[in-house]
């Protein structure tokens, strides 16, 4: 079975500084991987997905993630945080089902 | 607009009073699923459906029922709600089975059981 571990439950960054949200997964074969974002009182929205094409995936709002098979990681990054990035972020792996991480809450300090 | 619509968005009820949370999608998606979101636990799958009349249990199905009589609708039924079912619920859908397909989520239904 697949599993997903988000290594930080909370991350705080200052506005304009880089963002790193970490995700490790376990998989018996090449998975599909996703990052979703949930703004307060909203549903989840797709940020980006990896499906065995390029290992560096670009998403919306300046986010990107790099698939590293040797490290079984799919960390989410952004060069410069904006106040509007404050939200909950979920890493997801899928095969026959979707498996969600427990989420990382991102706080952006002005 | 392509969307997943859940109703009600907010509901306060009492223990034992049956309720239904509706979910409808307008994208002709085969796969539909219900999740509950609780602090520190992320999203946990309750039930899913691969197509009409095909449903299966997820990780936390106890106390819930579902049906899939039409492709667009996937209601979640709580026959006798209990306080431990107080949670934020999300319906989601995608083309075909999981894998590379993207899930589209509803806006969520916040349920409180007193």
């Amino acid at each position: 079975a697949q599993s997903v571990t988000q290594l930080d439950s909370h991350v705080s960054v200052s506005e304009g500084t880089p963002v790193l949200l970490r995700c490790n997964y376990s998989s018996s074969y090449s998975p599909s991987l996703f990052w979703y974002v949930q703004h307060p009182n909203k549903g989840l929205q797709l940020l980006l997905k990896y499906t065995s094409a390029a290992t560096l995936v670009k998403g919306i709002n300046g986010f990107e993630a790099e698939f590293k098979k040797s490290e079984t990681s799919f960390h989410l990054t952004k060069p410069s945080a904006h106040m509007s990035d404050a939200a909950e972020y979920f890493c997801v792996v899928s095969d026959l089902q979707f498996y969600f991480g427990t989420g990382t809450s991102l706080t952006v300090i002005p | 607009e392509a969307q997943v619509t859940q109703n009600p968005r907010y509901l306060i009820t009492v223990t034992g009073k049956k309720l239904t949370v509706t979910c409808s999608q307008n994208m002709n998606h085969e796969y539909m699923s219900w999740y509950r979101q609780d602090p520190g636990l992320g999203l946990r799958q309750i039930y899913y459906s691969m197509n009409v009349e095909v449903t299966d249990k997820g990780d936390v199905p106890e106390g819930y029922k579902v049906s899939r009589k039409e492709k667009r609708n996937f209601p979640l039924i709580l026959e006798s709600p209990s306080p431990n079912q107080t949670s934020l619920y999300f319906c989601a859908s995608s083309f075909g089975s999981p894998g590379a397909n993207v899930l589209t989520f509803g806006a969520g239904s916040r349920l409180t059981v007193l």
Side-chain angles (χ1 to χ4, degrees):
Chain A
Q2 313 275 23
S3 69
V4 182
T5 302
Q6 291 185 241
L7 297 163
D8 307 291
S9 57
H10 300 278
V11 170
S12 290
V13 299
S14 296
E15 190 175 18
T17 65
V19 176
L20 170 64
L21 305 182
R22 299 181 295 165
C23 173
N24 284 359
Y25 68 92
S26 67
S27 172
S28 55
Y29 54 94
S30 295
S32 293
L33 293 157
F34 307 80
W35 276 98
Y36 284 82
V37 60
Q38 182 184 26
H39 290 280
N41 300 312
K42 300 285 187 183
L44 281 75
Q45 177 188 14
L46 179 71
L47 268 182
L48 51 82
K49 72 173 186 178
Y50 166 79
T51 55
S52 75
T55 56
L56 183 62
V57 181
K58 294 188 184 299
I60 62 171
N61 300 332
F63 284 93
E64 61 182 38
E66 186 171 9
F67 174 70
K68 292 187 176 180
K69 187 174 181 178
S70 61
E71 299 176 9
T72 60
S73 69
F74 190 57
H75 301 335
L76 182 70
T77 61
K78 183 173 181 178
S80 176
H82 191 272
M83 295 299 295
S84 61
D85 295 328
E88 188 89 13
Y89 292 80
F90 292 95
C91 183
V92 180
V93 64
S94 74
D95 52 11
L96 297 179
Q97 286 302 328
F98 294 97
Y99 302 91
F100 286 77
T102 52
T104 298
S105 177
L106 176 65
T107 299
V108 181
I109 304 164
Chain B
E1 179 188 356
Q3 59 185 0
V4 177
T5 303
Q6 297 178 227
N7 280 298
R9 293 288 314 281
Y10 302 91
L11 179 63
I12 300 174
T13 190
V14 296
T15 298
K17 185 176 181 180
K18 180 180 178 179
L19 67 92
T20 299
V21 186
T22 63
C23 174
S24 180
Q25 50 91 5
N26 62 0
M27 297 165 282
N28 202 34
H29 284 171
E30 286 86 7
Y31 180 90
M32 297 186 74
S33 183
W34 276 103
Y35 299 87
R36 61 178 288 173
Q37 183 180 18
D38 301 290
L41 298 177
L43 272 74
R44 295 179 292 168
Q45 190 177 51
I46 302 170
Y47 271 93
Y48 64 95
S49 170
M50 293 289 196
N51 214 323
V52 176
E53 301 291 1
V54 180
T55 63
D56 211 342
K57 296 177 180 179
D59 299 319
V60 289
E62 295 77 20
Y64 305 94
K65 286 175 55 177
V66 293
S67 67
R68 187 93 182 272
K69 294 184 171 60
E70 305 165 283
K71 197 171 188 178
R72 63 183 294 126
N73 295 325
F74 190 46
L76 180 69
I77 303 157
L78 286 72
E79 293 271 3
S80 182
S82 63
N84 64 11
Q85 293 177 297
T86 293
S87 188
L88 178 59
Y89 292 86
F90 287 101
C91 181
S93 69
S94 71
F95 280 114
S97 58
N101 290 307
V102 173
L103 276 171
T104 300
F105 283 84
S109 296
R110 186 169 293 280
L111 171 64
T112 301
V113 183
L114 301 176

